[in-house]
């Protein structure tokens, strides 16, 4: 069947306590509609998954809700505050933090320095020169560093704190990203493919850490290409296809939905559920 005949059911918008709400988001790049009237809501306390074939628009949606892209239409709210069109540091201040599918350039930084860059979303990366001259480190920054160090210990990578971040494995970098994201205690943390390129042992550790943080109240929205990983970790799961929300459901509902199977079979790069990463 052609995807045009597919019934796009959309997401469940009827949730009691919503941290993040996207309504009718649109974004085009030239003639390509990457986000096509996408609406969804993330309930506080949940680990919400986001899946879809390569090119479905998952990363674009993250960029839109976190302020890295300005939508052509629609709205975004965090804790019922309208953040549409606001820059990333303003969205972060409202409580939304995201990680990147490909961890950002950390060249020349130790893990400690990389953690500090992530720990101060309100001032962004401009804080780094200040941090590097100890006399200007504020008490807030010191508190953030303490918290960052605790998180590295918790994630069992504290021994790496003085290492150049370029020496870290892909999985260790993903853990640093997770620690950076969590340092300022966001109301919602968005993870873009947290186990892409990560070995199975470390992927299991990452799953355990996410679960533990969630049990302590942390809300997550997670894009992940690794189907067994996300199906085991997240509920509900939102399925994107061609920039639109196809459906939302339990892992079991998603796994058995014929439209989801069709979407993956017809995906931009012929992807299928469980096939490897992108970018
Ligand atoms: P996913 O993360 O689901 O694989 P993306 O959001 O990365 O998908 O991409 C969705 C579509 O938008 C793709 O066709 C991609 O090529 C396009 N796209 C994403 N970002 C840009 C950009 N900055 N400029 C042009 N096209 C883009
Ligand atoms: Mg992506």
């Amino acid at each position: 069947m052609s995807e045009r005949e597919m019934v796009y059911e959309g997401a469940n918008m009827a949730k009691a306590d919503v941290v993040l709400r996207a309504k009718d988001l649109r974004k085009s790049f030239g003639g390509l509609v990457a986000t096509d009237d996408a609406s969804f809501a993330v309930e506080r306390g949940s680990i919400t998954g986001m899946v879809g074939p390569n090119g479905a628009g998952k990363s674009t949606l993250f960029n839109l809700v976190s302020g890295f892209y300005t939508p052509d239409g629609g709205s975004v709210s965090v804790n019922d505050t309208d953040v549409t069109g606001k820059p990333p540091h303003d969205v972060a201040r409202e409580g939304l933090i995201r990680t990147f599918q490909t961890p950002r350039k950390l060249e020349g930084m130790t893990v400690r320095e990389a953690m500090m860059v992530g720990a101060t979303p309100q001032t962004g990366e401009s804080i780094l020169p200040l941090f590097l001259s100890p006399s200007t480190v504020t008490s807030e920054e010191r508190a953030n560093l303490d918290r960052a160090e605790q998180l590295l210990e918790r994630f069992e990578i504290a021994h790496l704190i003085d290492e150049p971040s370029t020496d870290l494995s892909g999985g260790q970098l993903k853990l640093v990203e997770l620690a950076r994201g969590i340092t300022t205690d966001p109301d919602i943390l968005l993870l873009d493919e947290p186990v892409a390129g990560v070995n199975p042992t470390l992927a299991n550790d990452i799953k355990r850490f996410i679960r533990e943080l969630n049990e302590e109240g942390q809300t997550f929205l997670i894009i992940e290409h690794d189907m067994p990983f996300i199906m085991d970790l997240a509920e509900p799961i939102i399925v994107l296809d061609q920039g639109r929300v196809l459906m939302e459901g339990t892992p079991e509902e998603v796994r058995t939905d014929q439209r989801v199977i069709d979407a993956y079979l017809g995906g931009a790069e012929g992807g299928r559920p469980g096939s490897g990463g992108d970018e």
Side-chain angles (χ1 to χ4, degrees):
M1 87 186 243
S2 128
E3 290 118 79
R4 279 182 188 27
E5 294 159 30
M6 203 120 69
V7 177
Y8 287 80
E9 187 177 282
N12 171 17
M13 302 302 285
K15 289 174 179 170
D17 188 4
V18 169
V19 192
L20 168 63
R21 190 186 302 276
K23 278 208 71 187
D24 305 326
L25 280 180
R26 294 190 68 78
K27 183 72 179 175
S28 300
F29 298 106
L32 177 94
V33 181
T35 308
D36 190 0
D37 282 333
S39 301
F40 66 91
V42 177
E43 188 151 45
R44 198 178 310 278
S46 70
I47 301 177
T48 299
M50 185 169 275
V51 304
N54 283 336
K58 304 180 295 295
S59 293
T60 301
L61 209 41
F62 265 29
N63 282 320
L64 288 170
V65 299
S66 56
F68 285 84
Y69 290 166
T70 306
D72 299 331
S75 65
V76 181
S77 62
V78 176
N79 293 320
D80 285 327
T81 300
D82 188 349
V83 297
T84 314
K86 297 232 171 98
H89 59 268
D90 284 352
V91 181
R93 198 179 297 136
E94 294 301 334
L96 182 148
I97 299 280
R98 58 83 59 91
T99 66
F100 288 82
Q101 183 169 343
T102 308
R104 282 180 294 175
K105 332 159 225 60
L106 305 169
E107 290 95 27
M109 289 187 213
T110 64
V111 169
R112 187 195 310 274
E113 288 159 356
M115 290 290 293
M116 286 310 293
V117 176
T120 53
Q122 59 276 31
T123 39
E125 314 221 340
S126 60
I127 195 68
L128 189 60
L130 297 177
F131 173 65
L132 292 176
S133 71
S135 59
T136 58
V137 173
T138 66
S139 61
E140 187 199 349
E141 286 156 8
R142 219 178 290 280
N144 279 339
L145 183 56
D146 285 347
R147 170 108 168 107
E149 286 182 4
Q150 284 165 18
L151 285 165
L152 290 180
E153 247 162 63
R154 177 173 185 162
F155 295 163
E156 297 158 12
I157 50 172
H159 57 288
L160 300 173
I161 195 157
D162 291 314
E163 298 292 316
S165 52
T166 41
D167 285 4
L168 269 54
S169 74
Q172 289 168 336
L173 267 181
K174 291 285 192 183
L175 276 173
V176 171
E177 279 272 295
L178 181 60
R180 281 161 54 131
I182 222 88
T183 297
T184 51
D185 227 353
D187 292 316
I188 178 168
L189 182 59
L190 276 55
L191 307 177
D192 196 347
E193 302 207 8
V195 296
V198 174
N199 75 59
T201 307
L202 207 42
N204 252 331
D205 288 344
I206 290 175
K207 188 192 285 177
R208 173 165 54 93
F209 296 139
I210 292 172
R211 250 193 208 127
E212 287 173 6
L213 291 163
N214 176 252
E215 278 160 13
E216 293 161 20
Q218 180 64 53
T219 306
F220 288 94
L221 174 62
I222 303 177
I223 294 174
E224 185 47 63
H225 225 79
D226 180 330
M227 282 293 164
F229 178 92
I230 197 71
M231 295 272 172
D232 187 38
L233 183 63
E235 181 168 343
I237 292 175
I238 296 167
V239 185
L240 285 190
D241 175 51
Q242 304 193 54
R244 304 163 74 181
V245 178
L246 182 55
M247 69 167 297
E248 172 176 338
T250 64
E252 192 52 28
E253 285 165 349
V254 165
R255 204 190 330 259
T256 54
D257 191 287
Q258 190 57 43
R259 293 165 303 181
V260 176
I261 295 163
D262 290 344
Y264 272 89
L265 291 175
E269 290 156 43
R272 56 189 154 66
S275 71
D278 56 355
E279 258 204 2

